[in-house]
């Protein structure tokens, strides 16, 4: 297929691009490099440095079979302090992109949605049928785009899949997480092992969980990226599917730090800190829908393997 990947210079978009190229697809990456890196774009992909609002001219150059839309702002805290950036980039930007997709008759659309659309869950594991009550503008912006895509599928026959990622980590094809402003637990803990930080803060030790720290569902980037290829195949005209992507296994912050100690052999000092605003206690996915609809099955659910793959890029 001829595919446009927005955000392909970022962490998840670059790994997925590498996998799409391996599978024989023809890939153009469109990225404004606001948080991504030019050198993360795999060599076999064409590259256009542009905002998603400028995708139209690119889609006009050839008959594209699909768009995979990763480009977004995704810092929860920043979304609370600077919501305009989130409604602008994520919602208005995605609307412009969807309009270009419609204008150029691109049949397939795969979108990076998030567990943040659910907010604080009433029940875990979280299924796609759970209520969506985002607790911050980031999650709300992603949910708005999910709704937008649903209406485009219904009105214009777009074949669309929203993939709701839980906590993505690890590395694949020599590509890993490289955010200038890093907020994610695994890379921050590994920065301590690298000697780039003195310690990692544990945000909250009084959560209603067995060891008092938050529980998350960590998914290997390779498993996550692979689901996008399956989604392109499973997408049906006029239908908008939503699939959670996680392993269905929860690990606490302390368990993640312990896994990083095992893998790196570094003591990794951890300091107890207050809760981080907006964090739900437990986020664990039910990914049954991805299994049945996409035929997806995680190949690397082991936390130590996820951490080891991230670590191998740093050493
Ligand atoms: N990393 C996670 O754990 C996680 C979890 C859930 C959902 N997501 C979603 O997955 C997607 C990718 O996340 P990531 O961790 O790879 O982030 P990232 O910041 O590494 O990648 C995003 C890329 O999009 C580009 N970009 C941003 N706004 C743009 C715009 N308006 N026009 C063109 N390019 C733009 C950036 O330069 C960057 O290369 C995002 O949509 C994010 O919301 C990520
Ligand atoms: O230095 C840190 C960093 C994180 N944490 C904790 O570790 C857990 C995981 O935090 P991350 O920031 O790695 O991940 P989140 O669960 O907050 O974020 C995930 O969900 C978000 C929405 O809630 C976004 O979708 C985001 O992209 C996705 O990785 C949380 O309990 C957090 O409080 C710490 O204790 N110390």
């Amino acid at each position: 297929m001829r595919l446009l990947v927005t955000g392909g210079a970022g962490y998840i978009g670059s790994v997925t691009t590498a996998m799409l190229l391996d599978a024989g697809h023809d890939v153009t990456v469109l990225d404004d490099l606001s948080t991504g890196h030019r050198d993360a774009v795999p060599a076999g992909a064409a590259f256009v440095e542009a905002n998603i609002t400028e995708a139209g001219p690119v889609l006009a150059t050839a008959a594209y079979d699909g768009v995979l839309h990763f480009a977004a702002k995704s810092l929860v805290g920043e979304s609370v302090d600077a919501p305009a950036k989130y409604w602008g980039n994520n919602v208005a930007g995605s609307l412009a992109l969807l309009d270009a997709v419609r204008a150029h008759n691109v049949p397939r659309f795969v979108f990076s949605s998030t567990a943040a659309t659910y907010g604080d869950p009433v029940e875990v594991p979280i299924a796609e049928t759970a209520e969506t009550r985002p607790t911050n503008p980031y999650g709300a912006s992603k949910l708005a785009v999910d709704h937008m895509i649903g209406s485009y599928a219904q009105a214009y026959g777009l074949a669309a899949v929203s993939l709701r990622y839980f906590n993505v980590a690890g590395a694949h094809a020599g590509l890993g997480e490289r955010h200038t402003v890093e907020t994610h637990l695994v890379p921050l803990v590994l920065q301590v092992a690298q000697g780039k930080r003195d310690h990692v803060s544990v945000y909250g030790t009084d959560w209603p969980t067995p060891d008092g720290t938050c529980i998350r569902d960590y998914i290997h980037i390779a498993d996550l990226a692979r689901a996008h290829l399956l989604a392109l195949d499973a997408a049906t005209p006029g239908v908008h599917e939503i699939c959670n992507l996680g392993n269905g296994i929860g690990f606490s912050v302390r368990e993640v730090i312990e896994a990083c100690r095992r893998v790196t052999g570094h003591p990794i000092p951890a300091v107890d800190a207050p809760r981080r605003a907006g964090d739900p206690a437990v986020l664990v996915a039910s990914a049954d829908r991805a299994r049945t609809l996409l035929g997806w099955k995680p190949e690397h659910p082991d936390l130590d393997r996820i951490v080891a793959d991230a670590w191998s890029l740093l050493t």
Side-chain angles (χ1 to χ4, degrees):
M1 290 189 213
R2 184 187 297 277
L3 302 167
L4 182 72
V5 174
T6 76
Y11 171 44
I12 302 170
S14 63
V15 172
T16 307
T17 296
M19 224 176 251
L20 290 166
L21 291 168
D22 269 357
H25 297 296
D26 182 321
V27 182
T28 299
V29 164
L30 182 145
D31 195 301
D32 69 359
L33 301 182
S34 52
T35 58
H37 309 272
R38 176 65 184 90
D39 66 5
V41 179
F47 179 69
V48 179
E49 185 174 343
N51 195 284
I52 46 175
T53 54
E54 298 151 11
V58 182
L59 294 175
T61 57
Y64 278 83
D65 300 297
V67 171
L68 295 100
H69 179 31
F70 298 90
K73 302 296 167 203
S74 59
L75 297 172
V76 170
E78 183 186 62
S79 80
V80 175
D81 298 335
K85 194 168 175 178
Y86 284 73
W87 296 111
N89 265 282
N90 295 2
V91 179
S94 296
L95 178 60
L97 177 66
L98 275 168
D99 265 333
V101 161
R102 177 166 72 103
H104 298 288
N105 300 312
V106 182
R108 296 175 191 80
F109 196 84
V110 178
F111 175 59
S112 302
S113 188
T114 167
T117 53
Y118 297 112
D120 218 341
V122 176
E123 242 179 64
V124 282
I126 303 170
E128 295 80 359
T129 48
E131 240 185 286
T132 42
R133 300 177 305 170
T135 52
N136 52 65
Y138 165 66
S141 73
K142 289 284 179 172
L143 182 60
V145 178
D146 279 341
H147 287 313
M148 204 189 285
I149 296 169
S151 65
Y152 271 59
Q154 198 182 12
Y156 309 121
L158 189 65
V161 181
S162 287
L163 298 173
R164 289 191 174 154
Y165 315 158
F166 281 62
N167 289 61
V168 191
H172 178 73
L175 296 161
E177 202 157 357
R178 201 156 36 114
H179 296 127
T180 308
V181 179
E182 191 53 80
T183 60
H184 290 154
L185 181 64
V186 171
L188 285 174
V189 179
L190 293 180
Q191 284 178 12
V192 180
Q194 278 183 294
K196 292 185 170 172
R197 287 174 193 268
D198 296 342
H199 68 272
V200 62
S201 299
V202 177
Y203 294 145
T205 54
D206 58 350
W207 294 97
T209 60
D211 70 10
T213 68
C214 285
I215 290 177
R216 295 289 182 273
D217 184 341
Y218 294 86
I219 171 174
H220 196 294
I221 179 71
D223 284 331
L224 184 91
R226 199 162 34 80
H228 293 74
L229 279 74
L230 298 170
L232 279 172
D233 288 339
T236 305
V239 178
H240 176 220
E241 295 286 357
I242 298 180
C243 294
N244 290 339
L245 291 176
N247 289 313
I249 310 164
F251 291 99
S252 72
V253 172
R254 290 213 196 285
E255 287 172 326
V256 171
I257 296 170
E258 208 42 63
C260 293
R261 287 179 179 138
R262 273 194 304 273
V263 166
T264 64
H266 189 281
I268 308 182
V271 173
D272 292 352
R275 290 181 176 194
R276 187 173 71 176
D279 270 346
V282 182
L283 286 176
V284 175
S286 160
D288 291 350
R289 187 142 185 77
R291 289 170 192 270
T292 51
L293 184 82
L294 309 180
W296 178 77
K297 187 173 177 295
E299 287 174 3
H300 312 296
D302 179 53
L303 180 61
D304 285 29
R305 165 69 191 272
I306 295 173
V307 170
D309 284 354
W311 181 238
S312 69
L313 263 198
L314 307 174
T315 49

